[in-house]
């Protein structure tokens, strides 16, 4: 297939490009930094410096939209919230517009979202049928998804990736999580009871390829079948790293440091990948200790 990817230099995107090329697909990527993308992704990838020159997406078989400013990189000032929204909404709206303008549109748009769609959901068990709490992460993801769905037609199916914390050998949230453990200062955050939806990078990539190759559409929770609480995650991470996990970080300290964005670590969602499993997809990484041991 001829596949167009946004966000191809990110954690998921760069590994996905490798998988697609290995199976014989042709890949084009949209990026603001052409030189960096070429160095990272190699000569087999076609580089687009933007979408402004495009009138349609004729000739593209599939679009995978992974673009977006990292949500946990800074405090959520009004300006940073706007950046988080615009970095997702604008490119998604443009892609949908180009798909709708195509006489032979791509057969599928696979577009990013996050388990933040559900907001801070407490003890509730969540599937794709559940609606989110009306807070910033829900508003961000709901608009993001709605823009992607405007590309849906009888010729283009749309899949939405409600992604949890992706566990990978390098980069991503785990790289930040490991730092206090390396110093012997690791442990639960707040009361430790909040659920943490996670997925191994390998299952994330396999899940995207599954959606690419099967006639599926709608939202999919991209998380392992067994969510864990923060205290269990901390204990398991400490065990795998051979470091103590005894120092609890008070919620008040996290709120002081992160402000409103502290909900990303003090809140949580008990999310199940109901629709992905129902479609026949099988996860390789079910158990957190084995998944962490693999990437660490």
């Amino acid at each position: 297939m001829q596949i167009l990817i946004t966000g191809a230099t990110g954690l998921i995107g760069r590994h996905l490009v490798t998988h697609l090329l290995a199976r014989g697909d042709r890949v084009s990527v949209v990026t603001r930094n052409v030189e960096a993308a070429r160095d990272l992704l190699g000569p087999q990838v076609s580089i687009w410096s933007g979408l402004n020159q495009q009138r349609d997406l004729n000739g593209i078989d599939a679009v995978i939209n992974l673009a977006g400013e990292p949500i946990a990189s800074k405090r959520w000032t009004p300006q940073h919230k706007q950046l988080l929204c615009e970095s997702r909404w604008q490119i998604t709206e443009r892609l949908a517009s180009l798909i709708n303008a195509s006489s032979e549109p791509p057969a599928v748009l696979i577009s990013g979202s996050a388990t933040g769609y559900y907001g801070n959901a407490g003890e509730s068990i969540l599937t794709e049928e559940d609606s989110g709490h009306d807070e910033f992460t829900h508003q961000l993801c709901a608009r993001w998804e709605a823009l992607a769905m405007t590309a849906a037609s009888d010729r283009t199916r749309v899949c939405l990736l409600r992604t949890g914390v992706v566990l990978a050998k390098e980069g991503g949230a785990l790289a930040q999580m490991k730092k206090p453990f390396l110093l012997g200062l690791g442990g639960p955050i707040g009361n430790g009871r909040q659920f943490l939806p996670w997925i191994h990078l390998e299952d994330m990539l396999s899940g995207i390829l599954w959606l690419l190759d099967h006639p599926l559409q709608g939202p999919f929770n991209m998380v392992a079948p067994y969510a864990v609480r923060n205290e269990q995650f901390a204990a398991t991470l400490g065990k795998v790293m051979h470091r103590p996990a005894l120092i609890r970080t008070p919620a008040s300290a996290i709120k002081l440091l992160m402000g409103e964005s502290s909900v990303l670590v003090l809140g949580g969602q008990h999310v199940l990948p109901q629709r992905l499993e129902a479609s026949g997809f099988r996860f390789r990484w079910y158990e957190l200790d084995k998944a962490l041991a693999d990437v660490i």
Side-chain angles (χ1 to χ4, degrees):
M1 288 189 285
Q2 182 68 52
I3 299 175
L4 178 66
I5 304 179
T6 69
T9 58
L11 172 65
I12 298 170
R14 63 180 183 267
H15 289 92
L16 181 61
V17 167
T18 300
H19 279 60
L20 292 170
L21 292 174
R23 70 182 211 159
D25 293 311
R26 299 178 303 281
V27 177
S28 300
V29 305
V30 180
T31 180
R32 291 171 297 179
N33 193 328
V34 173
E35 294 300 324
R38 198 176 304 282
D39 290 343
L40 181 64
L41 302 175
Q44 291 178 277
V45 174
S46 175
I47 308 291
W48 296 11
S49 60
L51 293 172
N52 290 336
Q53 303 302 316
Q54 306 300 318
R55 299 302 178 103
D56 55 55
L57 293 181
N58 290 327
I60 300 295
D61 298 307
V63 178
I64 302 174
N65 177 30
L66 303 174
E69 186 75 12
I71 195 166
S73 60
K74 297 179 181 178
R75 288 175 67 96
W76 288 349
T77 63
Q79 294 79 10
H80 191 59
K81 279 185 173 182
Q82 183 177 359
L83 176 62
L84 291 172
C85 293
E86 290 179 351
S87 67
R88 290 159 172 78
W89 296 352
Q90 290 181 354
I91 195 166
T92 303
E93 185 173 27
R94 178 61 176 157
L95 287 169
S97 176
L98 289 170
I99 290 172
N100 289 324
S102 303
S103 59
E104 298 181 4
V108 59
L109 167 63
I110 298 176
S111 193
S113 185
T115 56
Y117 172 88
Y118 301 106
N120 181 14
E123 297 293 308
S124 301
I125 296 177
L126 303 167
T127 71
E128 291 87 353
E129 305 304 317
D130 290 286
S131 58
H133 291 83
D134 188 21
E135 53 193 85
F136 175 65
T137 58
H138 171 71
Q139 296 161 8
L140 171 66
C141 292
R143 176 66 174 158
W144 194 7
E145 293 185 6
L147 289 168
M149 289 303 300
T150 64
S153 71
D154 57 356
R155 295 191 294 173
T156 302
R157 57 189 177 88
V158 177
C159 298
L160 306 168
L161 308 174
R162 292 179 181 168
T163 306
V165 173
V166 179
L167 304 182
K169 294 181 188 297
E170 298 177 359
L174 185 60
Q176 299 301 316
M177 293 176 177
K178 290 192 301 184
K179 289 181 179 179
F181 288 86
L182 290 169
L183 298 173
L185 302 174
I189 295 175
N191 64 20
R193 301 294 295 165
Q194 64 274 33
F195 280 97
L196 190 156
W198 63 274
I199 186 170
H200 191 291
L201 176 62
E202 182 179 321
D203 281 336
M204 183 69 198
L205 298 172
S206 296
I208 293 174
L209 296 178
W210 180 266
L211 296 177
L212 191 64
D213 295 338
H214 291 79
L216 303 167
Q217 57 189 326
F220 292 86
N221 291 332
M222 305 299 285
V223 297
Y226 300 106
V228 297
R229 296 185 188 272
N230 176 269
E231 58 189 0
Q232 181 184 349
F233 187 92
T236 305
L237 182 56
K239 181 179 179 180
V240 170
M241 294 182 66
H242 306 289
R243 294 289 192 277
L246 302 175
I247 299 180
R248 185 179 300 272
T249 304
S252 57
I254 295 295
K255 290 177 181 177
L256 183 63
L257 178 66
M258 299 179 66
E260 185 184 353
S261 65
S262 62
V263 70
L264 295 174
V265 291
L266 295 176
Q269 308 92 18
H270 188 177
V271 183
L272 300 179
Q274 178 173 280
R275 297 193 68 230
L276 196 59
E277 288 196 304
S279 74
F281 180 79
R282 294 293 175 259
F283 286 84
R284 178 178 178 185
W285 301 98
Y286 283 86
E287 299 174 41
L288 178 64
D289 56 346
K290 293 180 180 178
L292 285 174
D294 180 70
V295 298
I296 293 176

